[in-house]
Amino acid sequence: MNKRNQKTLVKAGALLTTVALVLTACGGKDEAAPKGNGDAGVNQGPLQLTMMLPTYNAEQMPADSSVLKSLEEKTNSKLTISWVPSSTYSDKLSATVASGELPKTFVALEPKASNIVNAARSGMFWEVGPYLKSYPNLSKMSDIVLKNVSIDGKIYGVYRERDLARFGLMIRQDWLANLGLQAPKNVDELYTVLKSFATGDPDKNGKQDTIGLAVGMQGNNIAGFKDILVYMGGPNEWELKDGKLVPAHMTTAYLDTMKFYKKLYDEKIINQDFALVQDGRAVMNKGQAGLWIDNMLDGRNIEDSIKKVYPNAKINLINRISGPKGEKTRAGAGYLGMYVIPKTSVKTEAELKQILAYFDKVSEKDNQNLMKYGIEGKQYTIENGSYKPNQDPKIKAEITDGNQFMIMQDQVVNYGSELEKLSTKLFQDNATIAIANPAAPFISNTEIEKGKELSKIIADATVKFIMGAITEADWKMTVDKWQQSGGSKVIEEFNAEYAKVAK
């Protein structure tokens, strides 16, 4: 397996030690790779490849798409695609896996879903981990992400790459300028800036009608909370302490983060209706707040939205906030689904290698950009260095859901705005300070079964604490309830899995 990311992520601290330990169990240096190389299948004629993919658009990519034809030529393949609406994809996949009548490859959007885990354990899918190092592009896959998609320490698919650490601050640069403030560099300065945004009339309208931080709910999660938790020295979902995995909400840093948010709430620095707001970006888009914390790709759209109300608004991006443990940020999953190869449809190692060779070719620079933008001169043109998409509906349709074919995205050309280019740069910088979730490689059957119920117990109590509806003593009772409701079993199961690779 590739060791590139271990070098960049070593700064993230002790939590990443887990990854190194796990990697050893996942076909390490002493495990011989299967015979053959990444060129397997090149001279065997076009690969006949059936696949099932989710579509996020009302109209599918046409079968005679010029972009699809170009991809087939470049990868020496003939692709037969079964498109399934994303809204019904999970149900369709479950039924397809249960039937055993599978295409040669399909995207598992949730690799740790119980039906995928059970199928992998039953031997339904090829284990591809030992083969990856034989392919020039697939061998560059992140060790961190490979472990995130692993099942019992084995890799059963080729993940679809996403930036490992996208999170950061989107801040009103014009408000900072109006108040004569510098961008915050640590948690204390962050509070000072937020307080000033709420009380210092940053929009210069003579009214105290602004707030510092826009907050809303993302499912059970408070937007930005997990990021502030890491800034304040807390873990990313789970903490590895004294050789044991501990859930984030059982750490001192989690309690400190709740107290920080309660202070923001009590001082009206955040929107008081945050528990009812489904998308905190709406508060930001109206020009009412000075800061939003989430995926920094949101920056351009937020700035564009605010400019419709306040034409002189300007958003800046910040990815480094220092706390008790220095500059840290949280790593995400680093993928969006993975391609799985069923043994019931692909019966020989030779055909498996041919499919992996296809995925490797899809990850070449030209093909990455082909499936992102289409064919230059047809789907788009470059005029004076600027990207101009073709607005003809028929031409645009030929690149519909093209990104569903993509594996690696590390060589995609960024034709975006200055904010989008900055976000790409900061994503790369984030990777050097990102804290991984040390429990991500492992599976808890109890968590699969009761995870939503258990997370709701903690999420509801977190909101209530911030709003002053419960005390610290009540919070401790909630944690006890979580443990008694199955949380203790989750901790036990994750630690049992960790113990297998920590020896």
Side-chain angles (χ1 to χ4, degrees):
M1 290 186 183
N2 182 265
K3 303 297 179 187
R4 178 190 60 179
N5 283 0
Q6 284 183 332
K7 294 180 180 179
T8 57
L9 284 168
V10 68
K11 299 178 184 178
L15 288 176
L16 294 187
T17 305
T18 308
V19 178
L21 291 169
V22 175
L23 290 175
T24 306
C26 161
K29 295 181 179 179
D30 294 332
E31 180 179 346
K35 294 181 178 180
N37 56 52
D39 294 327
V42 169
N43 299 317
Q44 298 178 20
L47 168 67
Q48 303 293 319
L49 186 59
T50 56
M51 57 175 65
M52 185 169 78
L53 302 176
T55 175
Y56 293 84
N57 295 276
E59 296 185 12
Q60 301 172 4
M61 175 186 285
D64 62 351
S65 162
S66 61
V67 175
L68 186 62
K69 295 298 181 185
S70 179
L71 181 67
E72 289 178 327
E73 291 174 4
K74 292 174 179 291
T75 59
N76 191 30
S77 63
K78 173 60 181 174
L79 306 177
T80 303
I81 317 300
S82 174
W83 292 103
V84 179
S86 59
S87 59
T88 59
Y89 188 82
S90 294
D91 292 338
K92 175 66 174 178
L93 180 57
S94 294
T96 302
V97 171
S99 73
E101 298 179 2
L102 298 164
K104 290 185 178 179
T105 189
F106 64 85
V107 170
L109 289 175
E110 300 180 35
K112 297 297 179 75
S114 58
N115 61 325
I116 300 299
V117 171
N118 292 335
R121 286 172 170 170
S122 73
M124 182 178 287
F125 308 137
W126 283 93
E127 182 192 351
V128 304
Y131 297 89
L132 297 180
K133 63 184 178 183
S134 298
Y135 298 86
N137 295 301
L138 300 184
S139 64
K140 298 175 184 177
M141 286 185 150
S142 162
D143 290 331
I144 300 279
V145 182
L146 286 172
K147 295 318 304 168
N148 285 346
V149 302
S150 69
I151 297 172
D152 301 330
K154 298 179 180 180
I155 312 301
Y156 289 98
V158 177
Y159 71 78
R160 302 191 304 176
E161 182 181 42
R162 295 295 184 271
D163 291 290
L164 185 65
R166 296 180 169 195
F167 308 107
L169 281 58
M170 285 143 279
I171 195 167
R172 287 288 298 269
Q173 185 65 33
D174 55 314
W175 283 15
L176 287 173
N178 286 344
L179 296 173
L181 297 172
Q182 297 296 315
K185 295 181 180 180
N186 57 52
V187 175
D188 290 338
E189 291 179 5
L190 177 60
Y191 168 77
T192 299
V193 167
L194 293 177
K195 180 76 171 180
S196 298
F197 281 171
T199 62
D201 190 23
D203 56 0
K204 298 300 182 183
N205 69 350
K207 302 176 182 178
Q208 190 169 326
D209 56 358
T210 57
I211 59 172
L213 175 64
V215 180
M217 302 301 295
Q218 296 173 322
N220 284 334
N221 299 313
I222 299 171
F225 186 94
K226 293 181 180 180
D227 303 287
I228 297 290
L229 171 61
V230 170
Y231 299 157
M232 296 187 70
N236 180 3
E237 304 288 356
W238 288 75
E239 179 180 48
L240 183 60
K241 184 176 182 179
D242 299 327
K244 296 291 184 181
L245 292 169
V246 179
H249 62 264
M250 293 178 66
T251 65
T252 300
Y254 193 97
L255 181 60
D256 290 341
T257 304
M258 288 198 299
K259 290 178 179 178
F260 180 80
Y261 267 81
K262 187 178 188 306
K263 183 177 183 180
L264 298 181
Y265 181 82
D266 291 344
E267 297 179 8
K268 295 182 171 53
I269 295 174
I270 62 176
N271 45 300
Q272 301 294 283
D273 62 348
F274 77 91
L276 302 176
V277 175
Q278 292 301 308
D279 189 351
R281 282 171 295 194
V283 181
M284 200 67 187
N285 291 342
K286 294 175 183 177
Q288 298 172 343
L291 183 68
W292 172 248
I293 305 174
D294 199 28
N295 186 336
M296 289 183 286
L297 278 178
D298 291 341
R300 178 188 173 181
N301 289 335
I302 287 174
E303 183 177 80
D304 289 346
S305 296
I306 301 175
K307 281 180 177 291
K308 294 176 183 178
V309 185
Y310 301 100
N312 294 323
K314 181 176 177 57
I315 291 291
N316 194 17
L317 307 179
I318 302 170
N319 71 314
R320 287 177 175 258
I321 296 292
S322 182
K325 295 184 179 179
E327 294 177 329
K328 305 294 181 186
T329 192
R330 68 183 175 103
Y335 69 93
L336 181 61
M338 73 175 181
Y339 276 98
V340 175
I341 305 172
K343 289 183 177 179
T344 52
S345 308
V346 178
K347 300 184 182 300
T348 67
E349 185 182 43
E351 187 174 16
L352 168 66
K353 290 180 178 179
Q354 202 175 7
I355 293 173
L356 291 176
Y358 159 81
F359 286 136
D360 193 70
K361 288 182 178 296
V362 169
S363 298
E364 293 175 353
K365 181 178 181 178
D366 287 349
N367 290 330
Q368 288 186 30
N369 287 281
L370 171 68
M371 302 317 293
K372 177 71 173 181
Y373 301 111
I375 300 170
E376 185 174 0
K378 189 167 187 176
Q379 276 75 35
Y380 72 98
T381 57
I382 302 297
E383 300 176 12
N384 298 321
S386 297
Y387 166 76
K388 302 292 183 182
N390 191 324
Q391 297 302 323
D392 185 317
K394 290 185 177 180
I395 300 299
K396 289 174 65 177
E398 295 189 336
I399 191 60
T400 300
D401 288 311
N403 60 344
Q404 298 303 310
F405 294 88
M406 299 174 71
I407 305 299
M408 307 295 286
Q409 298 196 35
D410 58 321
Q411 299 186 76
V412 171
V413 177
N414 191 334
Y415 292 118
S417 66
E418 290 304 311
L419 272 179
E420 289 171 319
K421 291 178 180 178
L422 176 59
S423 68
T424 297
K425 179 181 178 181
L426 296 185
F427 291 161
Q428 295 170 347
D429 184 54
N430 267 355
T432 68
I433 58 172
I435 294 179
N437 173 3
F442 310 121
I443 295 171
S444 160
N445 291 329
T446 302
E447 200 276 336
I448 291 174
E449 178 186 348
K450 297 184 175 181
K452 291 183 179 179
E453 169 193 334
L454 291 171
S455 64
K456 192 174 187 304
I457 293 173
I458 297 302
D460 288 350
T462 299
V463 170
K464 290 177 180 178
F465 185 94
I466 291 170
M467 297 178 71
I470 66 173
T471 65
E472 186 172 338
D474 295 326
W475 166 254
K476 292 178 179 178
M477 290 175 63
T478 298
V479 173
D480 290 340
K481 177 184 177 182
W482 178 87
Q483 290 180 286
Q484 294 164 8
S485 300
S488 292
K489 192 68 174 176
V490 173
I491 295 173
E492 177 185 331
E493 290 170 354
F494 272 134
N495 275 287
E497 291 296 304
Y498 171 73
K500 293 177 183 177
V501 300
K503 296 177 180 179

